[in-house]
Amino acid sequence: ACEWRGLDYVLTDRRMLPLDDASAITRVLDSRRPWAVVNAAGWVRVDEAEAEEQACREANAAGAIRLAEACAERDIGFVSFSSDLVFDGLKGRAYVESDPCAPLNAYGRSKAEAEAAMLQLGHGLMVRTAAFFSPYDPHNFARHVHRSLAVGREVAAPDDLIVSPTYVPDLVEATLDLLIDGERGVWHLANQGEVSWAEFGRMIARAFGFNEAMVQGRPASTFGWAAGRPRFAALTSERGALLPSLENALARHVAILRASDFAPDAEASIDRGASTTPLGAADRSEQAQPGLQQVRR
């Protein structure tokens, strides 16, 4: 996305910029002198966070806050990412930016802590998003459904958890727009729409011409997750709807995969040895995001 816009960038990882090391953060920011930093690092294993909450908090809250503070001191633009899992799902309709956080799990608490600190700091942009899918990343629910149905394997998905799936290319473009415009505070970026995971799976099946009956809806309680999930966590915005509809995004997702050299059998190893339930990774807010991007003019 930066290359399309003519923006120079530096892609870093945890070795180059460890977020638990304030001196390393200072060294990198002062040597690179970026005009903005995109923090796409974080703990993404939602269920494992229940047993390792401190490690999750260090990655998602303490590290993000450390980096945000360093950027604020240098007046460097900053954006980090949060999740629909900061909510408890009891509102009964789509959440907006000003709704209070009430997380049900350790992962959500870590994100809510980062949000609160950034708002208090008064610097930077916090993007809440949810349920990533992308043709460029094999580790997401939409690709899992596609792989499974393409080889005749049924998919089980919750029919009682409502989310707003987010197309990663749309998310990235909108985030860059907000960053360049100097926006601050919390923004919700998700494609317009609200569906259960099971219905999203059926939408994917229909779009590819598969039998949607192969997507089996089940109660979330039957998946044996350690972390609680909000029943209704759809996102909308009171600041401005920047992303197109879910149907529009899914059509583009499908078109790219149809035009690619996708081979279900070659990708079968992605699911091998892992749980066949889809949301072990798919509901993670930073799934398949790079460690950190610094964007420079």
Side-chain angles (χ1 to χ4, degrees):
C2 289
E3 289 168 2
W4 274 106
R5 293 167 182 253
L7 296 172
D8 293 335
Y9 66 92
V10 176
L11 179 65
T12 74
D13 58 22
R14 289 174 177 83
R15 289 170 296 180
M16 177 179 176
L17 209 169
L19 299 188
D20 60 352
D21 186 342
S23 63
I25 292 173
T26 295
R27 183 172 62 253
V28 171
L29 294 183
D30 289 347
S31 63
R32 294 292 182 176
R33 300 179 63 189
W35 67 269
V37 172
V38 178
N39 175 30
W43 179 289
V44 299
R45 301 183 300 278
V46 174
D47 290 293
E48 291 180 27
E50 294 301 298
E52 301 181 59
E53 183 162 2
Q54 184 54 40
C56 175
R57 179 182 174 275
E58 174 60 35
N60 288 348
I65 294 165
R66 202 172 285 123
L67 183 58
E69 290 173 342
C71 288
E73 290 171 0
R74 293 160 177 79
D75 197 26
I76 295 171
F78 179 76
V79 60
S80 195
F81 294 89
S82 187
S83 167
D84 58 349
L85 295 183
V86 300
F87 298 118
D88 60 14
L90 299 181
K91 181 182 177 182
R93 60 185 187 278
Y95 285 92
V96 296
E97 289 87 352
S98 62
D99 284 323
C101 294
L104 298 176
N105 55 48
Y107 174 87
R109 288 191 290 273
S110 72
K111 288 298 186 180
E113 181 180 346
E115 288 186 14
M118 281 191 60
L119 288 173
Q120 184 175 7
L121 188 63
H123 180 83
L125 174 68
M126 179 65 81
V127 172
R128 283 196 196 121
T129 186
F132 285 177
F133 70 102
S134 169
Y136 308 113
D137 162 27
H139 302 286
N140 61 75
F141 177 68
R143 294 294 301 277
H144 168 78
V145 171
H146 184 198
R147 280 194 303 273
S148 298
L149 299 185
V151 296
R153 189 168 61 236
E154 290 188 345
V155 173
D159 56 11
D160 55 355
L161 299 184
I162 307 300
V163 294
S164 293
T166 306
Y167 188 50
V168 173
D170 288 345
L171 172 67
V172 169
E173 294 290 355
T175 298
L176 282 177
D177 286 343
L178 293 173
L179 187 62
I180 290 168
D181 289 345
E183 289 289 344
R184 297 187 177 189
V186 176
W187 271 82
H188 284 185
L189 293 181
N191 289 97
Q192 299 173 48
E194 48 191 56
V195 293
S196 70
W197 285 102
E199 180 52 34
F200 185 37
R202 295 183 190 108
M203 290 175 66
I204 295 163
R206 291 193 294 270
F208 282 107
F210 295 121
N211 180 5
E212 64 182 271
M214 293 180 67
V215 179
Q216 301 294 315
R218 288 167 34 191
S221 60
T222 66
F223 287 88
W225 294 321
R229 267 77 165 177
R231 295 290 184 182
F232 196 105
L235 299 178
T236 188
S237 177
E238 60 192 358
R239 303 187 69 175
L242 302 184
L243 273 61
S245 69
L246 174 59
E247 291 79 7
N248 177 286
L250 184 56
R252 286 177 284 128
H253 171 85
V254 170
I256 290 171
L257 283 176
R258 281 180 168 164
S260 72
D261 295 325
F262 172 76
D265 292 336
E267 285 199 338
S269 61
I270 293 171
D271 291 325
R272 194 172 298 140
S275 169
T276 56
T277 58
L279 301 190
D283 63 348
R284 300 170 182 170
S285 293
E286 293 92 350
Q287 183 64 31
Q289 294 292 301
L292 178 76
Q293 283 192 2
Q294 297 174 50
V295 187
R296 297 182 298 158
R297 278 197 180 95

